Amino acid sequence: MNEPTAVSDPRIGSVLQERYRIIERLAAGGMGMVYRGERLEVGKPVAIKFLHAWAARDEDFRKRFQVEARAMSRLTHPCCVSVIDFGMDQESPYMVMDFVTGDTLRGLLGDGALPPPRALGAVRQVLAGLAHAHAQGIIHRDIKPENIIVTHAVGLGEQVRILDFGLAKLRDEVTGLTSGMMLGTPS
């Protein structure tokens, strides 16, 4: 999913809704692109996710993106990345999220299995984040090592953050968007 910053990307350097400066592209996935940004006036680093243009033109993808934003905005747990803002920019929906740095769990597992105490600590944090999400009526539906970031919090040590609620389902909403569809990462 990671992709180098494109020099010709017109979003880089632009200001979104007079609130967020877009600094660099971090990643591109099947439905959208994620940029590192900054909340103007306070200098807070943020991540900004846009739908790809083709997806932004599709009503179902726009609805799914809104469900993701609504789901993530309910999250207030230290093990979950939450949405700070949501809006439209020139026909393209976007969401502004916590900016998190670190390694994906997939990257850490590339060096081999984690020592049992470290693995247990990570699993406990993932389960705590998922329990919080479930208490908010959110079902993630795509938990995998690539969607878990491991960072270090001063005074707390290793901190796990759950990313990408793009396939999340809100139990209290009936959208019919994914009825009969296979979702997630089958492998």
Side-chain angles (χ1 to χ4, degrees):
M1 180 164 154
N2 286 338
E3 189 174 289
T5 301
V7 175
S8 63
D9 190 324
R11 287 194 172 122
I12 295 173
S14 67
V15 175
L16 177 65
Q17 304 292 314
E18 298 180 14
R19 293 190 304 263
Y20 306 101
R21 179 175 318 284
I22 299 173
I23 297 169
E24 70 176 322
R25 185 164 61 186
L26 297 174
M31 283 182 47
M33 291 186 294
V34 179
Y35 294 84
R36 180 172 63 92
E38 176 184 45
R39 174 64 168 101
L40 297 175
E41 299 195 21
V42 294
K44 179 180 178 163
V46 295
I48 306 167
K49 183 176 183 178
F50 288 93
L51 277 180
H52 287 305
W54 66 266
R57 289 187 296 270
D58 184 289
E59 183 68 22
D60 286 342
F61 281 108
R62 282 197 314 275
K63 284 181 183 176
R64 195 171 298 143
F65 195 74
Q66 288 173 337
V67 167
E68 177 183 9
R70 210 169 13 262
M72 289 179 69
S73 71
R74 294 181 182 184
L75 302 173
T76 58
H77 194 276
C79 295
C80 299
V81 171
S82 63
V83 163
I84 299 165
D85 200 355
F86 177 79
M88 290 287 286
D89 180 56
Q90 301 175 7
E91 304 294 321
S92 181
Y94 69 89
M95 69 177 80
V96 180
M97 303 167 283
D98 298 328
F99 180 71
V100 180
T101 59
D103 297 313
T104 65
L105 186 55
R106 169 65 63 218
L108 293 176
L109 292 171
D111 297 331
L114 298 179
R118 187 176 184 197
L120 186 58
V123 168
R124 280 186 178 140
Q125 290 184 53
V126 169
L127 292 175
L130 290 175
H132 171 73
H134 291 178
Q136 307 310 308
I138 302 164
I139 302 167
H140 189 286
R141 301 198 300 181
D142 197 24
I143 288 294
K144 59 185 178 182
E146 292 83 357
N147 287 340
I148 309 294
I149 293 283
V150 180
T151 186
H152 292 274
V154 176
L156 298 174
E158 211 162 69
Q159 174 83 43
V160 165
R161 302 289 300 270
I162 302 169
L163 304 171
D164 199 357
F165 282 76
L167 298 177
K169 178 178 171 67
L170 297 175
R171 284 193 306 244
D172 58 359
E173 290 191 18
V174 179
T175 62
L177 290 175
T178 57
S179 181
M181 290 177 62
M182 188 168 96
L183 296 172
T185 308
S187 62

